[in-house]
């Protein structure tokens, strides 16, 4: 039994912020940002929330599949920038899309959010608990980035990707394996200090700028390089995949150097790695579905292609999914 993607779309806000934008007010340079991260530009949503990134992608995804939206029986939203702490962004997305008779919930796993949510969606479909899961990954990172901190302002962007997960009509294709991890010891290196029940918002927390991202970049970088490479090589090994067998590595887009280190360890050349960090920066739960959606619409993913989706993020959370691409007769 396997679950597969039967439709996919993405949304990026129109407003582009290049490295030159940051050069104007921060002590940084296009050269530093490109060399250290691979990012040249990113998009920020000027008005609206994460659900406003997800809804246009979801509408396109449903239209491409050509189904009645009410056939969707579950909505999962992977995000660390929910519209509100509660209600869930899944409920807001459901309401904005006007889908009747479905359930859903949010998944918080930061940059691994999409991979974790995809594994969850597959379990729901494989168990028969759901037939058509609307799987959404998106973040409005500009709502939590400290734009006066040069080490984080340049890294992130806003965007979302949405796909439909359904039962595969070919059991040998679709999502064939997953390897997922969480280690709370990594929390100290990447977190948001205030705004949760541990430290509710107060004048003091706002004065101390504790609602922004806190990141020890080097510590996260070191753990990400090891975590993403390990999990990606392990999933190849246990599925007897050589680098020749892989059509595409679909890595979370946090830093081009982390992506390159992962690809090197897998023995995969740059021509087989999906990279769009240069255009969009790190959109957290959005990076992997945005890549998949772009590559598919450019005709670069073929039926039967072996894809390894790989991520690392706050928690720490990390994981990989082995996906044998299946058109299922619909995409
Ligand atoms: O997806 C969520 C998970 N997050 C990640 O995966 C992020 C992982 N970490 C990284 O990508 C990198 O650590 C960063 C891009 C955040 C930083 O790159 P780095 O090569 O690790 O730089 P660094 O933190 O070691 O800093 C080196 C220098 C420092 O200056 P000093 O102390 O050597 O004088 C920084 O202050 O670079 C400085 N620096 C900058 N300089 C120019 C930091 N940010 C900038 C900047 N422009 N934007």
């Amino acid at each position: 039994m396997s679950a597969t993607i039967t439709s996919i779309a993405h949304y990026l806000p129109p407003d582009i912020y290049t490295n030159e934008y940051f050069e104007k007010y921060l002590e940084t340079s296009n050269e530093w940002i490109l060399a250290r991260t691979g990012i040249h530009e990113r998009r920020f949503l000027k008005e609206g929330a994460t659900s406003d990134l997800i809804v246009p992608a979801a509408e396109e995804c449903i239209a491409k599949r050509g189904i009645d939206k009410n056939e969707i029986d579950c909505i999962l939203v992977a995000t660390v920038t929910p519209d509100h702490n509660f209600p869930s962004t899944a409920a807001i997305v459901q309401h904005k899309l006007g889908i009747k008779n479905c359930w859903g919930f949010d998944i918080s796993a930061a940059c691994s959010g999409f991979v974790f949510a995809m594994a969850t969606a597959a379990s729901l479909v494989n168990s028969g608990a759901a037939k058509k899961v609307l799987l959404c990954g998106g973040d409005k990172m500009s709502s939590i980035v400290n734009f006066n901190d040069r080490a984080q302002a340049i890294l992130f962007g806003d965007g979302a990707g949405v796909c439909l997960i359904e039962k595969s009509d070919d059991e040998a294709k679709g999502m064939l394996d997953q390897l997922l991890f969480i280690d709370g010891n990594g929390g100290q290196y990447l977190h948001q200090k205030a705004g949760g029940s541990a430290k509710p918002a107060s004048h003091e927390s706002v004065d101390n700028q504790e609602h922004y991202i806190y990141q020890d970049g080097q510590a996260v970088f070191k753990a990400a390089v090891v975590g993403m490479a390990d999990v990606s090589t392990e999933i190849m090994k246990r599925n007897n995949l050589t680098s020749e067998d892989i059509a595409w590595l679909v890595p979370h887009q946090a830093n081009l150097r982390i992506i390159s280190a992962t690809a090197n360890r897998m023995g995969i050349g740059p021509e087989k790695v999906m990279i769009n960090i240069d255009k969009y920066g790190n959109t957290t739960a959005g990076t992997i579905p945005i890549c998949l959606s772009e590559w598919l619409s450019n005709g670069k993913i073929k039926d039967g292609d072996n894809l390894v989706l790989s991520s690392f993020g706050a928690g720490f959370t990390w994981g990989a999914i082995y996906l044998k691409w299946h058109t299922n007769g619909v995409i």
Side-chain angles (χ1 to χ4, degrees), residues 1-326:
M1 198 164 9
S2 67
T4 194
I5 295 175
T6 57
S7 182
I8 187 159
H10 68 280
Y11 177 78
L12 291 149
D15 294 299
I16 299 174
Y17 294 75
T18 63
N19 291 346
E20 288 74 16
Y21 167 83
F22 294 99
E23 277 180 342
K24 286 187 193 139
Y25 80 99
L26 285 174
E27 209 179 306
T28 189
S29 67
N30 178 41
E31 292 70 28
W32 190 98
I33 302 169
L34 266 180
R36 297 292 184 114
T37 70
I39 300 167
H40 181 251
E41 57 195 47
R42 68 292 285 151
R43 313 287 186 94
F44 296 134
L45 182 68
K46 280 190 173 159
E47 273 171 34
T50 295
S51 66
D52 297 304
L53 297 165
I54 290 172
V55 166
E59 284 170 337
E60 192 184 329
C61 174
I62 297 165
K64 276 183 177 169
R65 179 70 178 86
I67 54 164
D68 178 342
K69 63 187 176 187
N70 294 322
E71 286 180 46
I72 291 163
D73 43 14
C74 183
I75 301 173
L76 300 185
V77 174
T79 189
V80 282
T81 51
D83 289 21
H84 305 278
N85 274 340
F86 69 91
S88 69
T89 303
I92 295 167
V93 167
Q94 172 273 328
H95 183 61
K96 286 184 175 175
L97 291 172
I99 297 174
K100 294 193 177 71
N101 297 320
C102 74
W103 67 301
F105 52 94
D106 291 1
I107 289 184
S108 172
C111 298
S112 301
F114 184 78
V115 166
F116 281 24
M118 194 174 186
T120 308
S123 302
L124 292 170
V125 167
N126 289 335
S127 72
K131 284 196 170 65
K132 287 182 170 60
V133 179
L134 192 71
L135 168 60
C136 317
D139 273 292
K140 187 188 176 188
M141 294 306 290
S142 60
S143 65
I144 55 170
V145 161
N146 182 348
F147 282 104
N148 291 316
D149 176 357
R150 65 179 180 173
Q152 62 173 277
I154 51 100
L155 281 180
F156 297 95
D158 301 340
V162 174
C163 56
L164 265 169
I165 303 290
E166 298 178 62
K167 197 169 185 296
S168 174
D169 61 15
D170 179 348
E171 288 196 2
K173 290 180 187 166
M175 291 158 61
L176 299 183
D177 197 13
Q178 66 188 51
L179 196 56
L180 309 170
F181 298 99
I182 187 164
D183 178 4
N185 187 45
Q188 61 191 302
Y189 306 114
L190 182 51
H191 57 261
Q192 190 177 26
K193 293 193 182 299
S197 58
K199 195 162 193 186
S202 65
H203 285 293
E204 186 203 353
S205 69
V206 172
D207 288 346
N208 293 339
Q209 306 199 325
E210 291 173 328
H211 304 268
Y212 295 131
I213 294 164
Y214 168 83
Q215 175 168 263
D216 176 342
Q218 271 200 15
V220 179
F221 185 90
K222 284 181 196 153
V225 164
V226 175
M228 247 169 79
D230 279 356
V231 82
S232 307
T233 50
E234 182 57 28
I235 206 157
M236 281 173 73
K237 211 188 299 171
R238 71 185 206 179
N239 289 284
N240 299 316
L241 295 167
T242 66
S243 54
E244 275 86 67
D245 298 324
I246 308 280
W248 292 108
L249 167 65
V250 194
H252 168 55
Q253 314 276 311
N255 187 315
L256 188 56
R257 292 183 292 146
I258 299 173
I259 297 172
S260 303
T262 303
N264 283 343
R265 273 278 297 285
M266 296 169 78
I268 288 176
E271 71 286 355
K272 287 188 185 181
V273 186
M274 292 189 190
I275 295 168
N276 58 17
I277 189 172
D278 50 319
K279 293 188 293 181
Y280 311 132
N282 181 354
T283 57
T284 303
T287 62
I288 289 179
I290 292 170
C291 275
L292 286 172
S293 173
E294 274 202 336
W295 261 250
L296 190 72
S297 61
N298 292 335
K300 293 188 196 155
I301 309 178
K302 306 267 179 314
D303 191 64
D305 275 356
N306 289 315
L307 272 54
V308 172
L309 281 49
S310 182
S311 67
F312 188 95
F316 291 142
T317 52
W318 67 107
I321 284 180
Y322 168 33
L323 175 68
K324 189 183 268 295
W325 193 262
H326 184 32

